[in-house]
């Protein structure tokens, strides 16, 4: 029997890419999405497993439905959905926030996740074989830190949606796992600070952050538990971090 199909949104960088690599090494079949076509192609060529790449923006409801609503033969049965695509844009007080940044975060982190989930979950239910949804939230979904306002609100929304999905889908045997990482050095801070790599590097200076592979390991562990076991909610931080705002820098 062939390995299950795993759909990973935001596989062109960071946590999504590391997760794709780990699942590929373990023989899973992968549907990988993102907006950067060349990165999707490069990843497909690198991975030694069956890969379908789909280039679209999760904020665009039509694109989500076109790409995921009519998957090609052999790819229709998505067993594991990893809702990972997301971002922070900016870091400023609510009084100074850039409303375009707010829209980007809400549209990507919440509405994008909802569009993807709404397109994939009915198939899981119809097939009556269970399924697993992993929502990559954040410690920003558990606590709020200075200037994090809208990003934190979007991730609190993801946290709430994980709980809500678990309730709505329990009778179909569909597992829902919420993953809440602390500081992980990916392209996250580069994106947050609009490409300012110097500013991004400072976020992780003087401490050993998490790496994308650390989160991939946790996702893989959650997915490979026996059928009767679900990890509902996992908080993972670097050892040097105690809470969103308290870190031990050398
Ligand atoms: P990266 O910036 O390295 O990766 C983000 C991924 O999301 C990219 O593949 C990007 O692909 C994709 N993405 C972003 N916007 C869109 C969009 N509109 N449509 C489709 N894909 C999109 O960051 P991380 O790997 O760190 O982030 C992954 C998730 O982890 C996010 O949800 C983030 O909030 C969360 N997280 C990150 C933490 C960290 O410290 N790094 C900690 C806690 C949570 P592309 O640009 O090609 O579209
Ligand atoms: C990413 C981690 O601390 O910037 O979600 O919110 S943090």
């Amino acid at each position: 029997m062939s390995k299950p199909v795993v759909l990973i949104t935001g596989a062109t960088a960071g946590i999504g890419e590391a997760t794709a690599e780990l699942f590929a090494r373990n023989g899973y079949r992968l549907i990988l999405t993102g907006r950067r076509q060349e990165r999707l192609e490069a990843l497909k060529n690198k991975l030694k497993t069956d890969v379908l790449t789909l280039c679209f923006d999760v904020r665009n409801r039509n694109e989500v439905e076109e790409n995921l609503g009519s998957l090609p033969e052999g790819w229709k049965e998505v067993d594991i959905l990893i809702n990972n695509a997301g971002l922070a844009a900016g870091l400023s007080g609510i009084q100074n926030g850039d409303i375009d940044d707010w829209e980007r975060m809400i549209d990507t982190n919440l509405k994008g996740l909802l569009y993807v989930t709404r397109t994939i979950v009915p198939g899981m239910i119809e097939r009556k074989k269970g399924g697993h949804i992993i929502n990559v939230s954040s410690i920003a979904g558990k606590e709020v830190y200075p200037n994090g306002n809208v990003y934190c609100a979007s991730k609190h929304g993801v946290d709430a949606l994980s709980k809500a999905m678990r309730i709505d889908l329990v009778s179909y045997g569909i597992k829902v796992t919420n993953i809440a990482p602390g500081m992980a050095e990916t392209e996250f801070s580069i994106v947050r600070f609009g490409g300012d790599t110097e500013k991004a590097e400072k976020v992780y200076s003087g401490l050993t952050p998490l790496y994308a592979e650390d989160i991939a390991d946790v996702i893989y562990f959650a997915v490979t538990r026996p059928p009767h076991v679900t990890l509902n909610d996992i908080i993972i931080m670097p050892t040097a971090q105690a809470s969103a705002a308290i870190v031990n820098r050398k």
Side-chain angles (χ1 to χ4, degrees):
M1 212 173 79
S2 64
K3 283 268 196 179
V5 173
V6 184
L7 165 54
I8 305 174
T9 65
T12 56
I15 294 168
E17 183 177 8
T19 304
E21 287 176 355
L22 183 53
F23 277 88
R25 281 202 295 281
N26 286 282
Y28 286 77
R29 305 176 64 229
L30 300 177
I31 303 175
L32 304 179
T33 86
R35 290 165 302 175
R36 286 170 287 181
Q37 176 66 34
E38 66 295 344
R39 289 217 188 178
L40 287 171
E41 277 308 308
L43 192 54
K44 180 179 171 147
N45 292 335
K46 187 165 100 177
L47 300 180
K48 292 182 174 48
T49 190
D50 287 347
V51 175
L52 173 70
T53 59
L54 298 172
C55 187
F56 64 89
D57 188 328
V58 295
R59 292 173 295 180
N60 185 316
R61 182 175 159 187
N62 289 337
E63 285 185 23
V64 172
E65 287 170 359
E66 271 165 30
N67 280 277
L68 299 180
S70 56
L71 288 164
E73 259 343 289
W75 292 100
K76 290 185 191 302
E77 302 197 356
V78 175
D79 303 284
I80 298 152
L81 165 61
I82 304 180
N83 277 319
N84 165 74
L87 83 166
L91 185 69
S92 51
I94 201 81
Q95 65 282 16
N96 305 317
D98 180 326
I99 295 178
D100 288 336
D101 284 347
W102 295 357
E103 309 265 22
R104 253 173 95 199
M105 290 188 276
I106 292 167
D107 289 352
T108 310
N109 301 350
L110 280 173
K111 291 169 73 180
L113 179 146
L114 283 168
Y115 298 154
V116 171
T117 304
R118 180 65 181 81
T119 312
I120 294 300
V121 169
M124 285 182 179
I125 293 175
E126 263 169 41
R127 291 190 295 279
K128 298 191 169 87
K129 289 197 292 190
H132 198 158
I133 301 168
I134 306 271
N135 289 330
V136 180
S137 179
S138 168
I139 55 164
K142 303 288 184 189
E143 36 176 317
V144 179
Y145 53 85
N147 303 321
N149 43 65
V150 176
Y151 179 66
C152 295
S154 73
K155 291 298 186 176
H156 273 69
V158 174
D159 195 272
L161 284 172
S162 295
K163 290 180 188 136
M165 288 180 195
R166 201 171 297 123
I167 292 168
D168 294 347
L169 301 175
V170 66
S171 57
Y172 303 104
I174 296 174
K175 302 182 183 195
V176 180
T177 299
N178 189 74
I179 309 262
M183 300 165 83
E185 190 165 8
T186 60
E187 293 179 11
F188 176 83
S189 292
I190 301 172
V191 171
R192 171 171 245 170
F193 297 123
D196 185 337
T197 48
E198 226 170 280
K199 205 167 171 187
E201 272 169 25
K202 283 207 183 102
V203 173
Y204 312 104
S205 70
L207 61 90
T208 306
L210 294 170
Y211 298 106
E213 291 73 16
D214 300 317
I215 315 300
D217 280 345
V218 169
I219 293 174
Y220 188 75
F221 181 78
V223 165
T224 51
R225 292 312 83 210
H228 68 290
V229 178
T230 302
L231 294 176
N232 283 352
D233 201 2
I234 304 171
I235 301 179
I236 166 172
M237 289 192 203
T239 306
Q241 184 173 27
S243 71
I246 299 177
V247 293
N248 177 29
R249 292 185 203 270
K250 300 285 179 215

